[in-house]
Amino acid sequence: VLSLLLLLPSSIPSTMETTKLPASSPSSPTTSFSVPSAEKVDGFPRRSMRRARQRRSHSSSQFRYQSSQVELTPLPLLKDAPVAELHDLFCKKLQQCCVLFDFLDCVADLKGKEIKRGALNELVECVATSRGVLIEPLYPEAIKMISVNIFRTLPPSENPEFDPEEDEPTLEASWPHLQLVYEFFLRFLESPDFQPSMAKRYVDQKFVMQLLELFDSED
C-alpha cells in the first residue's frame, strides 16, 4: 500500500485530519461503564472469552461470479515457453485469471477453478523468479486482473466486534484464488523490473482508494 501511495503523492486526499472534540463542561457528569462481576471470568468479560472461540466462516461471493461462465482451457506452461512467446502467453494467463467463479457451490466449475489456480501460481512464480517479464504492455493487463479479483462489495460482518488479535477472520469464499492474487500483487510491486513511472499510468486514485477500503475486510 505504501508503494502505491508513493505513486500518487499529490492526488490522494488527506484522510488523517485531526478531529477536534468539544471540551467537556466542568458541570457535565462523567459517565462510566462497568461489567457486572457475573459477566466476568477470572477478571475478563465473558464477551472477550466468547470472541476468542469463534470459528471462521465464509462470506458471500454470490454477486462476484459471472452468470455466463467463460470456459477456460489449459495453456502451455510459462516455464516451457520460448522467450519470443513468453510475454504473449503471460498476457493470456492474466486474461484467464479475470474469470470469476462461484465458490459457494463447491462442486461447480472444478476444472475451470483448477486451471485458474494453476495459472495464478505460474504468474506468481514467474514474476518472483524471472527478469524482463514486466514490460509496459503487461501493466494494464496485470492491474485489470488484480482489480477484477480483489475489489468487491464487502458483506456485513458477522462479528461487529471483531478483534484481529482474538478472533478468527471471516475469509472470502473465493479465498483459494484471492490469496494468490494478493501474492501476485505483492510480487509485482517487489519485482526488480517494476517501474513506478509505468505503473502511475494505470494505478490511479480510484485504485488506491478501493485498495484502502479492503482493510475493512477481516481477511
Side-chain angles (χ1 to χ4, degrees):
V1 174
L2 290 177
S3 299
L4 292 176
L5 290 177
L6 291 176
L7 295 178
L8 302 167
S10 60
S11 60
I12 298 298
S14 174
T15 58
M16 301 300 291
E17 296 178 358
T18 302
T19 303
K20 296 183 179 180
L21 300 177
S24 58
S25 169
S27 60
S28 300
T30 302
T31 304
S32 60
F33 299 92
S34 60
V35 179
S37 57
E39 287 295 315
K40 294 184 177 181
V41 178
D42 295 333
F44 295 96
R46 290 180 182 271
R47 182 175 59 188
S48 176
M49 301 295 291
R50 288 197 299 268
R51 288 191 312 202
R53 293 193 294 269
Q54 289 188 359
R55 300 176 62 185
R56 73 174 61 188
S57 58
H58 292 291
S59 62
S60 174
S61 293
Q62 58 182 324
F63 301 111
R64 285 176 45 76
Y65 75 96
Q66 292 136 338
S67 56
S68 56
Q69 279 291 343
V70 178
E71 185 175 351
L72 299 185
T73 57
L75 295 172
L77 298 178
L78 287 172
K79 65 180 181 179
D80 298 333
V83 176
E85 300 176 8
L86 178 60
H87 293 117
D88 182 61
L89 181 59
F90 193 96
C91 184
K92 289 180 179 179
K93 288 183 180 285
L94 286 173
Q95 293 169 352
Q96 274 195 334
C97 293
C98 289
V99 177
L100 303 180
F101 293 92
D102 179 14
F103 274 85
L104 296 180
D105 186 346
C106 60
V107 297
D109 301 306
L110 293 179
K111 179 181 177 182
K113 290 174 182 175
E114 181 59 24
I115 290 175
K116 178 176 177 178
R117 188 195 66 80
L120 285 168
N121 273 317
E122 283 189 74
L123 292 170
V124 170
E125 182 180 1
C126 187
V127 170
T129 61
S130 302
R131 296 297 304 271
V133 176
L134 297 182
I135 60 175
E136 183 172 1
L138 293 181
Y139 277 70
E141 296 294 337
I143 297 301
K144 177 183 176 181
M145 187 277 286
I146 294 167
S147 301
V148 166
N149 281 274
I150 70 173
F151 296 148
R152 63 208 189 268
T153 301
L154 299 179
S157 175
E158 297 178 4
N159 180 15
E161 298 179 354
F162 175 74
D163 185 339
E165 295 185 358
E166 293 188 9
D167 300 337
E168 290 287 347
T170 299
L171 296 178
E172 174 69 34
S174 60
W175 187 248
H177 287 171
L178 190 59
Q179 68 176 131
L180 292 173
V181 177
Y182 281 134
E183 180 69 15
F184 172 81
F185 191 16
L186 177 62
R187 300 301 181 185
F188 177 73
L189 294 174
E190 291 181 340
S191 171
D193 294 332
F194 179 74
Q195 296 294 327
S197 60
M198 292 184 186
K200 289 176 68 173
R201 303 172 191 174
Y202 311 104
V203 179
D204 56 11
Q205 177 178 333
K206 179 181 178 182
F207 181 96
V208 176
M209 297 308 292
Q210 286 181 298
L211 182 63
L212 292 175
E213 289 176 2
L214 289 179
F215 281 85
D216 288 334
S217 64
E218 295 180 13
D219 55 30

